[in-house]
Amino acid sequence: MSAALIDGEAIGQRIRDEVKAATARLEQTKGAAPELAVVLVGEDPASQIYVRAKVKNTQDAGMRSHAHRLPADATEEEVIALVARLSADPQIDGVLVQLPLPKHIDEARVLAALDPAKDVDGLTEASAGRLLLGKPGLRPCTPAGCVILARTVTRDLAGAHCVVIGRSILVGKPAALLFLEQNCTIAIAHSRTRDLPALCRSADILVAAVGRPEMIRGAWVKPGAIVIDVGINRVPAPELGPGKDGAPKSRIVGDVAFAEAREIAGAITPVPRGVGPMTRACLLRNTLLAACARRGWPVPPGFEG
Ligand code: NDP
């Protein structure tokens, strides 16, 4: 029997609707709505698409959105100055720096200029420290989305064995800590892990954040497991025929061989329409939470934990 599909698009939409309703209530009762600033440096096509989607989602939720675009040759000091200015602006509740930044800019230095109270991506050292310490704070959006998706299958994840493949600061490490917060037993796998297939087969929850198309095979999946595929990989798709430029078209696949894994897993996220939409939904959620914390507003019902 094939696994249940975890519909990230529908679940993300539900979160966006809840944020929109809470924002409307704040507008009525407090006379203000949360404001999110997005900083984009350069012309990276994927980043431009992500930023456009984030700005649209923010506006659709009834929040104010400010997009700040700097040219690809902007200096590190210019980017830091902009982030510092937005951090100091009392009107702005959240600041998102779209990554990756151009190679000549040190991301760590830019993030160091960001007020942790406005760190809606959960990427500053302060946010990472709060996560490690188990203190409340703004959690990284993609990993937070993974936990929400897993909990739509099984609300109580306590005791589940969760294997996270990937140890990046953006996804793997925070995902592991967030599943630990849910009382899972966690293992973090990486490129030096021995016998990865066997480790994966022990996972009740398997989170793939590797960046290698369809690396995780169906035979690596424990029967009935929850599989969360974070990967976004563009691969050539000659079966779709040539594109406008004559080159073969491409398609997006995850890190999991979906068709194989679906035959074994209990529930699985597709790519696209799995984790991706949750990243944007969690960004809105964080912007709402950041606004409430900064402005002394009570956290809206349903957004407490
Ligand atoms: P990174 O490249 O930063 O990290 C990849 C991780 O995978 C590393 O820890 C690496 O190990 C590990 N790895 C690489 N090869 C292997 C292997 N053969 N066996 C086991 N582990 C391996 O990627 P990110 O964490 O930033 O992103 C991962 C994926 O998630 C990408 O496809 C990215 O596009 C996608 N992504 C999706 C998002 C979404 O919204 N859906 C958001 C962010 C990312 P080591 O540390 O040893 O090198």
Side-chain angles (χ1 to χ4, degrees):
M1 209 178 71
S2 75
L5 265 195
I6 306 174
D7 186 345
E9 193 64 48
I11 297 162
Q13 182 62 51
R14 200 175 64 219
I15 293 172
R16 292 205 296 273
D17 290 344
E18 288 165 3
V19 171
K20 184 175 181 174
T23 300
R25 282 195 300 275
L26 287 173
E27 189 88 66
Q28 272 172 7
T29 55
K30 308 290 179 189
E35 302 200 16
L36 173 68
V38 183
V39 176
L40 174 62
V41 185
E43 314 288 332
D44 178 63
S47 292
Q48 293 195 22
I49 293 170
Y50 293 146
V51 165
R52 265 201 300 277
K54 286 170 185 172
V55 167
K56 182 172 183 309
N57 286 167
T58 312
Q59 291 167 343
D60 288 349
M63 298 179 178
R64 318 254 183 284
S65 173
H66 311 262
H68 296 264
R69 293 186 167 80
L70 293 178
D73 61 357
T75 65
E76 187 174 286
E77 296 314 319
E78 284 168 336
V79 180
I80 289 173
L82 174 59
V83 171
R85 180 164 68 71
L86 295 168
S87 288
D89 184 338
Q91 277 307 110
I92 302 288
D93 297 295
V95 180
L96 178 143
V97 181
Q98 183 65 42
L99 302 179
L101 292 169
K103 292 218 172 352
H104 65 282
I105 297 175
D106 181 347
E107 288 179 356
R109 285 200 66 212
V110 172
L111 290 175
L114 174 55
D115 177 355
K118 301 185 179 186
D119 176 21
V120 286
D121 242 352
L123 294 180
T124 58
E125 289 184 8
S127 298
R130 298 188 76 82
L131 172 59
L132 187 65
L133 293 170
K135 290 187 171 181
L138 295 166
R139 303 305 195 215
C141 298
T142 303
C146 294
V147 173
I148 293 172
L149 291 176
R151 292 189 71 204
T152 63
V153 182
T154 308
R155 182 143 186 84
D156 183 6
L157 303 179
H161 186 212
C162 174
V163 173
V164 179
I165 318 168
R167 57 175 163 180
S168 73
I169 296 297
L170 194 61
V171 189
K173 274 188 194 168
L177 288 170
L178 285 170
F179 279 100
L180 180 62
E181 222 168 55
Q182 296 294 319
N183 296 311
C184 293
T185 303
I186 53 166
I188 306 179
H190 46 77
S191 64
R192 308 289 182 89
T193 296
R194 290 195 194 125
D195 200 355
L196 184 60
L199 180 65
C200 291
R201 272 192 293 274
S202 72
D204 304 309
I205 303 169
L206 184 60
V207 181
V210 190
R212 290 179 183 261
E214 302 182 327
M215 187 185 94
I216 288 84
R217 311 307 308 183
W220 301 17
V221 174
K222 179 177 177 176
I226 301 172
V227 177
I228 308 287
D229 189 353
V230 184
I232 301 178
N233 308 289
R234 191 169 281 284
V235 295
E239 72 277 12
L240 299 178
K244 280 183 196 144
D245 55 1
K249 283 190 179 159
S250 61
R251 63 190 174 96
I252 302 286
V253 299
D255 290 342
V256 177
F258 178 81
E260 289 176 14
R262 195 176 181 189
E263 293 306 311
I264 314 287
I268 186 168
T269 60
V271 177
R273 298 176 69 88
V275 174
M278 295 302 292
T279 302
R280 287 182 281 122
C282 290
L283 171 67
L284 296 187
R285 197 175 187 281
N286 275 352
T287 305
L288 180 72
L289 292 173
C292 291
R294 283 187 63 248
R295 298 181 190 236
W297 296 337
V299 175
F303 287 89
E304 295 90 352

